[in-house]
Amino acid sequence: MLELTDIEAGYGRTRVLHGVTVPAGKVVAVLGHNGAGKTTLLRLAIGLIKPSKGRVLFDGEDVTSLAPNQRVARGMAYVPQGQQSFGQLTTLENLQLVADGRRGGKALVDAQMARFPALEQFAARKAGLLSGGQRQQLAIARALITQPKLLILDEPTEGIQPTIVAEIEQTIVQLAEEGMHVLLVEQHIGFALEAAERYVVLASGFVTQTGVGGMAATSTVRAAMAI
Ligand SMILES: Nc1ncnc2c1ncn2[C@@H]1O[C@H](COP(=O)(O)OP(=O)(O)OP(=O)(O)O)[C@@H](O)[C@H]1O
Ligand SMILES: [Mg+2]
């Protein structure tokens, strides 16, 4: 689905990613310590930053020069790090905002309410008053309303209470089972590798390890990351 080849990218003159290649896969996990370049890689995948070298392929098409909205139109959705939503709008309004103008908009909202019971329960609550975990679920639900082929998730369980972490992990597994592709940045290495078909480890913007996912990869990855 998504394939990144030999990417060089950064901010201004600061080069952050050095020859990064990410293989296609159903669920692809991007692992690495703080500052390794994981978020930069996801921003590059959705088109918020452009590579100075390398190629982004999506669904067989070279999308390297396409803007984020064009990539979204082709079936990518991006949930940034940090559980963002419109805090002054209710849960329901946050979802309706994305659904408005789409065919079957109400059904799309209802489907996400059904997927995330907490969002249904707090439909009328301002998003700013939701818990971090609920806001993360709302951010994922907003992305899912666009019915993406590829969901790009940046640390969806970061700073979230354990009970909701399990729910979010279950959602990711469920989405993959439903046929969605996922590009996942995740600090919980055990879960990420369990869910992933393929993984890459980034360190200081270089890919230091790549391989096939599964629990068996956990010890190799932990050793490579020295944790
Ligand atoms: N807007 C920016 N301008 C300049 N440098 C940046 C910018 N955003 C990030 N960087 C730098 O790029 C490098 C990679 O940052 P990035 O956010 O991609 O790391 P990360 O792996 O997502 O880290 P974390 O696990 O903390 O989220 C860091 O050295 C960071 O300081
Ligand atoms: Mg990050």
Side-chain angles (χ1 to χ4, degrees):
M1 176 72 43
L2 181 77
E3 216 177 321
L4 308 175
T5 311
D6 200 17
I7 297 289
E8 304 274 341
Y11 305 94
R13 284 187 192 166
T14 315
R15 177 93 36 108
V16 174
L17 301 175
H18 309 275
V20 170
T21 292
V22 178
K26 199 74 203 291
V27 177
V28 177
V30 178
L31 308 169
H33 293 299
N34 294 122
K38 306 182 297 296
T39 295
T40 303
L41 185 64
L42 298 194
R43 284 193 189 131
L44 182 120
I46 193 70
L48 289 169
I49 57 175
K50 293 275 154 52
S52 53
K53 180 168 171 263
R55 196 172 67 150
V56 183
L57 267 189
F58 181 62
D59 223 1
E61 182 189 5
D62 189 332
V63 299
T64 315
S65 59
L66 295 189
N69 63 317
Q70 295 172 303
R71 298 190 198 195
V72 169
R74 280 160 176 74
M76 290 192 198
Y78 173 50
V79 182
Q81 200 166 359
Q83 303 118 38
Q84 289 150 5
S85 53
F86 295 100
Q88 289 305 313
L89 299 183
T90 66
T91 300
L92 179 61
E93 287 164 345
N94 265 279
L95 295 173
Q96 283 170 337
L97 199 66
V98 185
D100 269 1
R102 286 179 190 276
R103 199 176 305 148
K106 186 176 181 309
L108 293 172
V109 170
D110 290 347
Q112 294 317 314
M113 292 289 195
R115 184 186 292 281
F116 299 103
L119 299 186
E120 180 146 58
Q121 188 183 349
F122 299 118
R125 183 172 291 187
K126 287 211 164 86
L129 301 177
L130 297 175
S131 76
Q134 290 160 355
R135 272 205 309 279
Q136 184 68 52
Q137 289 176 318
L138 178 57
I140 295 172
R142 284 164 52 89
L144 291 177
I145 283 180
T146 67
Q147 298 180 290
K149 296 178 196 160
L150 171 72
L151 184 64
I152 301 173
L153 296 173
D154 197 349
E155 303 208 27
T157 65
E158 186 188 25
I160 285 169
Q161 69 196 67
T163 51
I164 301 193
V165 168
E167 279 180 37
I168 290 173
E169 289 178 350
Q170 206 189 330
T171 301
I172 294 168
V173 170
Q174 174 79 37
L175 288 169
E177 282 171 8
E178 290 171 20
M180 195 169 296
H181 289 240
V182 181
L183 180 61
L184 174 68
V185 165
E186 179 57 74
Q187 297 281 1
H188 297 106
I189 293 168
F191 165 69
L193 289 173
E194 191 185 340
E197 187 186 347
R198 303 199 161 263
Y199 71 87
V200 298
V201 178
L202 281 181
S204 306
F206 291 89
V207 174
T208 52
Q209 202 185 16
T210 178
V212 175
M215 291 303 269
T218 311
S219 54
T220 333
V221 168
R222 284 193 195 283
M225 291 176 68
I227 49 177

